[in-house]
Amino acid sequence: RALEESRDGVTGSCNQSILVSGESGAGKTVTTKIIMRYLAILSQRMVMARSSTAEFDFNCEGSGVERQVLQSNPVLESFGNARTIRNDNSSRFGKFIEMSFEGKRTGRGTLLGASIYFYLLEKVRLVSVNPGERNYHIFYEVLSPSGMELEDRKRYMLTSSFGRGSTPSSVRDFRMTSMSGTFDRRDGVDDSDTYRELRMAMDICFSFDEQDGIFSVVSALLHASNLRFVSDERQSSGSEGCAIYNLDGTSGAVASLLGVTLEALETSLTASAIEARGERLIKKLSITKAEKALEALTKATYGALFTYIVMRINKSIEVRRDSISRGIDEVKSIATIGVLDIFGFESFEKNSFEQLCINYCNEALQQQFNRFVFKSEQAEYEREGITWSQIDFPDNQEALDLIEDRREGVFSILDEQCRLPRCTDKTFSSAVYDKCENNMNFAASRMQKSEGRFVIIHYAGEVEYVTNGFVLKNKDELPKGASELLASSKNSLVAELSKILCGNAVLQAGTLIGEARAQMKRSSSSITHSTVCSQFASQLSDLRARIDDTEPHYIRCLKPNDRLVADDFDHYLIAHQLNCAGVLPALKLARAGFAMRYPHAAFIQRYFLIVSRELAQTSTRTGKRTLNCHFMIELMSHRLGIEMRRRDHNSDRSKNNGSIMNIVSWGVQIGKTKVFLRMAAFDALENLRNCAMNSAATVLQAQTRTYLCQRMFYFTLGSILTLQCATRRMIASSFVQHLRYTLRAKTIQKYWRSYWAWSSYQNILFIAVFLQRHWRGWRVRQKQRNHDK
């Protein structure tokens, strides 16, 4: 959408901006890369459309400007991202990438170039890393086992014996990469792989000499973190002078990589030059002050290196005149899409100067977001031609005044304290308590005042800040000797860093932080320049001006949990992020006006049920096709009036007629294409709709239950008849079977009895005959015997 609007100019201003925000680990960096990749792919398709011989490269790995713009991401991630407790690839700076396209006049929409602006690089990470976190990725990438070649390691003295040996140095050999005890990433990304991606990306934007200078500075900073200071034996007893410990060879490696002499390095870190009335006095520093000077040199050098990298990337991807269509005015032929990847609102157990700057940025952007939402609401009301009154929206101007007011703001008080010769965090906190105690968004109890703490009530909630380190972090001074050390370097890139630090470099548009052009001045002992908070306020003002000149689009990134695991949704954390992202305040702003709006067709479809009976009773039999919003609202006015009066018992009796004018006063207005509802009217309509749906549901349930009961009755009746038939059949079958069994039994019995009777008769007959025969034989034999006698 942003690309279409920038190309077509449909919103009046063809320049667009996409603001990506969210907590650390929510996916802002990945989202930004996806947006840039998507825009680059669309640009490549535009080029293909004009060239029949071109082949589409989905990965944008050609030689065009699209590839150059996308390859800036690995470079910025390596030098500006680090592992934190919440995120393994956390951006420790904010960036605004302005991509230029051919605009409305040409209608092509192809990518011409880009510019990168960065904000508030976290340089304190170079000298202090919390447990469980890492320093910037670049230090671990150059020390990864499969990353840099052995020859390169020897050239940058990243092997044993400072380049003379063949054993590669590891992250445990340098204080900068081992101070936290954390060496790898939890997301499984290998530093060797990211190092190879970095070198491939740098081959596009940087020459070999420039890359050599950059890695020399990175290696020098690694060795510088191992520098140690000892008491100078050449000083008289009782003196605080110190010297660099030279026996281990670390100082020689630092000097060689920076292209300076060992004597110049030691002088810049262990001595301070004071000029008075034309005389130059050298004062030796104590070990503590020398360590602070080393930390200042490390932070300033890396900050200048990062600025140089951004400058060089911008030079390689800038819009060139030969890429603009001929015959078209340069300004009118270019449309821009800016992608802002900014840090989200932060609130920790201990909040310091960095959190105040970050939350100040979010506070300012939230105000701009509120005004954008309000402006959008007002524009839509006017476009729809509805009657509306002034809307009160939540304004956080008091919180911004508490921070940025020129007289009584926290930043102005901090700058004033930094200009005083003897300022401390305690004097700063006392001044803040005295000047800010009457502000509604400021709070500090007696206990908090005794501990140097104060509370600012932001749009997302209260945040307690600890003033320890505020003054030192805001000054961010670089000793004059350190600046002169870099200026004396034989390395051209290191000398260029000195010019950046001193403000003498000729900077192209968009190369420094938000185009901040703070004039730096030399003092007798240090390079003084605009304080960090004043620079950041200027950068933020410039950023807001850029966004005001564009049509903004907002992307809120949310992370489901803090444990960095999948399939785990923390509802409380999501609600907290929505509040910190300004979504909930924006919803409150939307609810202050016409919170709900429906296109005419959607309104009729949603609330047609309320007036279905009235439509059925009308003599004209108005169908749904001929129904319009005016007639529909007229039909529902009586019911809506009763519902509104029920909700507002103190309403005037004169409003009981339910006329259209009363409908408007209740918060229902019909625009040209939409129907606008205030929350009271929306709730009333929703209640009527729910009642109508409940009534319809009751009827449907009754009819359904009737149908189900009848169906069950007939089913039961049919089942009973079926069972009866089956039972009767079974009984009849059983009876018939019984008859059959009885007849057969009788037949068997008959034949069995006949056979038994016949067998008995035959046996008796046989016995009788047998007995008779023997009897008769005996009688005959007796008679014969008697006769023979």
Side-chain angles (χ1 to χ4, degrees):
R1 178 187 170 191
L3 182 61
E4 292 177 355
E5 292 180 358
S6 66
R7 186 174 65 244
D8 302 334
V10 296
T11 58
S13 173
C14 61
N15 296 329
Q16 310 292 314
S17 61
I18 304 174
L19 282 69
V20 184
S21 62
E23 282 193 4
S24 178
K28 301 186 297 297
T29 302
V30 176
T31 302
T32 302
K33 291 194 293 186
I34 292 174
I35 294 172
M36 294 176 62
R37 189 179 189 83
Y38 174 73
L39 295 176
I41 291 175
L42 291 184
S43 172
Q44 194 181 43
R45 288 180 177 176
M46 297 294 179
V47 176
M48 282 187 57
R50 299 199 303 268
S51 176
S52 59
T53 61
E55 295 183 359
F56 180 70
D57 182 9
F58 185 79
N59 294 322
C60 292
E61 294 181 353
S63 58
V65 67
E66 293 88 357
R67 184 190 182 195
Q68 294 178 342
V69 172
L70 293 180
Q71 289 301 320
S72 64
N73 287 320
V75 181
L76 294 178
E77 285 189 18
S78 293
F79 286 89
N81 289 26
R83 169 182 167 172
T84 62
I85 296 178
R86 296 185 174 185
N87 185 12
D88 283 85
N89 191 33
S90 176
S91 297
R92 307 317 300 162
F93 67 102
K95 63 177 177 288
F96 183 76
I97 305 172
E98 191 174 66
M99 307 175 69
S100 300
F101 297 83
E102 288 184 301
K104 181 179 179 182
R105 292 294 187 89
T106 59
R108 294 178 177 177
T110 56
L111 181 62
L112 301 176
S115 295
I116 300 175
Y117 310 85
F118 72 93
Y119 307 88
L120 199 65
L121 177 67
E122 186 186 22
K123 294 182 289 186
V124 70
R125 178 171 293 272
L126 296 162
V127 297
S128 177
V129 182
N130 296 325
E133 299 186 354
R134 295 201 320 176
N135 218 309
Y136 289 105
H137 292 327
I138 183 61
F139 300 111
Y140 301 87
E141 291 171 356
V142 298
L143 296 172
S144 58
S146 303
M148 187 177 291
E149 299 293 338
L150 182 60
E151 292 77 8
D152 294 336
R153 288 178 177 270
K154 290 183 177 181
R155 184 166 64 252
Y156 302 128
M157 301 183 183
L158 296 179
T159 61
S160 57
S161 301
F162 299 99
R164 294 184 296 272
S166 300
T167 304
S169 301
S170 67
V171 293
R172 301 178 185 272
D173 297 331
F174 300 94
R175 182 182 178 275
M176 181 177 289
T177 54
S178 62
M179 66 177 75
S180 65
T182 303
F183 307 102
D184 54 359
R185 294 171 58 167
R186 294 163 294 183
D187 54 4
V189 176
D190 190 357
D191 293 318
S192 301
D193 296 335
T194 55
Y195 174 78
R196 286 187 286 269
E197 294 177 4
L198 170 66
R199 294 307 295 261
M200 292 175 59
M202 294 185 72
D203 289 338
I204 299 176
C205 303
F206 299 88
S207 65
F208 176 79
D209 293 337
E210 290 171 337
Q211 294 185 43
D212 182 68
I214 291 174
F215 286 107
S216 294
V217 174
V218 171
S219 302
L221 294 179
L222 282 171
H223 288 292
S225 66
N226 289 344
L227 285 177
R228 292 184 296 166
F229 298 94
V230 295
S231 300
D232 191 355
E233 298 178 354
R234 296 170 294 181
Q235 298 294 321
S236 60
S237 59
S239 176
E240 295 182 352
C242 67
I244 298 178
Y245 182 74
N246 297 322
L247 297 180
D248 57 357
T250 303
S251 57
V254 175
S256 176
L257 291 169
L258 291 179
V260 299
T261 62
L262 183 59
E263 293 76 11
L265 175 63
E266 183 169 1
T267 302
S268 64
L269 296 178
T270 61
S272 175
I274 302 175
E275 294 182 1
R277 296 182 180 181
E279 296 182 1
R280 184 181 178 89
L281 303 177
I282 304 298
K283 179 183 178 181
K284 298 294 290 185
L285 301 178
S286 63
I287 294 178
T288 302
K289 292 182 179 180
E291 291 175 348
K292 294 295 182 183
L294 176 60
E295 293 180 357
L297 175 63
T298 302
K299 293 187 293 184
T301 304
Y302 192 82
L305 177 64
F306 192 82
T307 301
Y308 172 80
I309 291 173
V310 175
M311 290 171 56
R312 191 63 187 83
I313 292 175
N314 283 341
K315 187 176 180 180
S316 65
I317 63 176
E318 66 182 355
V319 179
R320 295 176 175 83
R321 293 183 179 273
D322 56 359
S323 63
I324 303 175
S325 300
R326 295 181 178 179
I328 304 296
D329 183 70
E330 179 178 347
V331 177
K332 295 182 179 180
S333 64
I334 297 179
T336 63
I337 298 180
V339 183
L340 177 65
D341 177 7
I342 202 69
F343 15 65
F345 189 88
E346 293 186 353
S347 178
F348 306 124
E349 293 182 2
K350 183 178 180 181
N351 302 283
S352 188
F353 178 72
E354 293 82 7
Q355 280 69 46
L356 178 61
C357 293
I358 290 173
N359 293 341
Y360 164 59
C361 174
N362 283 271
E363 195 79 50
L365 292 178
Q366 179 62 29
Q367 184 189 58
Q368 195 166 25
F369 177 65
N370 289 341
R371 292 179 177 178
F372 167 74
V373 174
F374 172 73
K375 184 178 179 181
S376 301
E377 293 283 306
Q378 181 179 357
E380 185 170 14
Y381 297 162
E382 294 176 352
R383 186 169 56 252
E384 291 289 332
I386 66 174
T387 304
W388 62 282
S389 58
Q390 187 66 28
I391 301 175
D392 295 330
F393 66 94
D395 192 5
N396 56 347
Q397 186 60 45
E398 289 188 3
L400 288 174
D401 291 339
L402 174 61
I403 300 174
E404 66 181 6
D405 188 77
R406 294 185 177 182
R407 294 184 177 181
E408 297 182 352
V410 175
F411 279 175
S412 62
I413 298 173
L414 183 57
D415 286 344
E416 181 182 356
Q417 289 292 317
C418 290
R419 287 191 293 267
L420 298 177
R422 295 182 179 179
C423 61
T424 61
D425 295 327
K426 187 175 182 179
T427 59
F428 161 68
S429 59
S430 299
V432 169
Y433 299 146
D434 294 338
K435 294 184 179 181
C436 301
E437 60 182 358
N438 295 327
N439 192 292
M440 297 292 295
N441 293 74
F442 182 86
S445 63
R446 292 185 177 180
M447 179 64 71
Q448 289 173 331
K449 289 181 180 180
S450 64
E451 298 176 352
R453 295 178 291 149
F454 62 89
V455 175
I456 294 180
I457 304 175
H458 294 281
Y459 71 94
E462 298 182 357
V463 179
E464 183 185 66
Y465 298 97
V466 182
T467 58
N468 294 337
F470 264 57
V471 174
L472 181 61
K473 293 177 181 178
N474 187 48
K475 285 183 177 180
D476 195 22
E477 290 182 342
L478 174 66
K480 181 180 178 181
S483 177
E484 293 177 348
L485 171 69
L486 298 180
S488 64
S489 173
K490 298 178 182 179
N491 189 326
S492 59
L493 186 140
V494 177
E496 185 69 19
L497 299 185
S498 175
K499 294 179 182 180
I500 294 176
L501 290 175
C502 296
N504 296 327
V506 180
L507 304 177
Q508 299 296 332
T511 56
L512 275 184
I513 307 174
E515 288 185 335
R517 296 179 175 86
Q519 297 297 326
M520 303 181 182
K521 301 180 181 179
R522 291 183 180 268
S523 69
S524 59
S525 61
S526 64
I527 299 296
T528 59
H529 52 84
S530 297
T531 58
V532 174
C533 62
S534 61
Q535 289 182 20
F536 187 65
S538 176
Q539 299 160 19
L540 184 58
S541 177
D542 177 78
L543 175 62
R544 296 178 67 181
R546 287 180 178 276
I547 297 175
D548 286 337
D549 293 337
T550 62
E551 182 72 17
H553 308 267
Y554 293 89
I555 297 177
R556 307 300 191 190
C557 298
L558 305 175
K559 62 178 180 180
N561 59 79
D562 281 330
R563 291 171 290 279
L564 305 179
V565 296
D567 302 326
D568 187 4
F569 192 86
D570 190 339
H571 299 273
Y572 174 79
L573 179 63
I574 293 296
H576 176 70
Q577 292 179 83
L578 289 174
N579 187 39
C580 292
V583 177
L584 299 184
L587 292 178
K588 294 179 181 179
L589 172 59
R591 289 173 63 91
F594 292 92
M596 304 301 298
R597 59 210 66 182
Y598 294 98
H600 288 179
F603 180 81
I604 293 174
Q605 182 179 6
R606 184 170 183 82
Y607 298 110
F608 173 78
L609 185 62
I610 300 177
V611 295
S612 58
R613 293 183 180 178
E614 287 78 357
L615 288 174
Q617 295 174 359
T618 53
S619 58
T620 58
R621 301 297 180 184
T622 303
K624 187 175 181 180
R625 294 182 178 178
T626 60
L627 182 63
N628 56 59
C629 292
H630 292 277
F631 182 60
M632 180 174 168
I633 292 178
E634 183 179 355
L635 290 178
M636 69 172 61
S637 60
H638 179 68
R639 291 189 179 184
L640 182 60
I642 295 176
E643 180 63 23
M644 293 296 293
R645 288 193 297 273
R646 185 184 68 82
R647 291 174 174 272
D648 186 9
H649 299 285
N650 298 324
S651 59
D652 193 354
R653 292 287 183 180
S654 61
K655 296 182 180 180
N656 294 352
N657 53 9
S659 64
I660 294 297
M661 292 302 298
N662 287 330
I663 294 297
V664 173
S665 66
W666 285 332
V668 180
Q669 292 206 40
I670 303 176
K672 297 178 181 179
T673 62
K674 296 180 180 180
V675 178
F676 293 82
L677 305 174
R678 293 188 182 273
M679 285 306 302
F682 171 73
D683 293 338
L685 285 175
E686 285 296 308
N687 189 47
L688 291 176
R689 180 174 179 269
N690 292 335
C691 291
M693 291 181 66
N694 290 337
S695 177
T698 302
V699 174
L700 288 175
Q701 289 176 352
Q703 295 296 328
T704 302
R705 290 190 179 100
T706 300
Y707 168 75
L708 293 177
C709 290
Q710 290 178 349
R711 182 178 177 181
M712 182 59 67
F713 171 75
Y714 289 122
F715 176 77
T716 305
L717 182 62
S719 300
I720 292 174
L721 292 176
T722 301
L723 290 174
Q724 287 179 346
C725 292
T727 303
R728 292 191 183 100
R729 179 180 176 181
M730 183 183 66
I731 293 174
S733 298
S734 300
F735 179 72
V736 171
Q737 192 71 17
H738 174 70
L739 291 179
R740 289 175 179 174
Y741 288 159
T742 303
L743 178 61
R744 292 173 182 174
K746 289 182 179 178
T747 302
I748 293 172
Q749 289 176 355
K750 178 179 69 176
Y751 282 101
W752 170 255
R753 290 190 183 105
S754 175
Y755 170 74
W756 177 259
W758 180 80
S759 298
S760 299
Y761 170 75
Q762 291 294 330
N763 292 332
I764 294 172
L765 179 62
F766 175 76
I767 294 171
V769 172
F770 178 78
L771 292 176
Q772 287 176 357
R773 184 171 64 246
H774 281 277
W775 172 255
R776 288 179 183 147
W778 182 76
R779 290 289 303 255
V780 170
R781 284 189 298 271
Q782 287 290 337
K783 286 180 179 182
Q784 186 65 29
R785 288 187 192 106
N786 293 328
H787 183 269
D788 290 337
K789 291 178 176 183

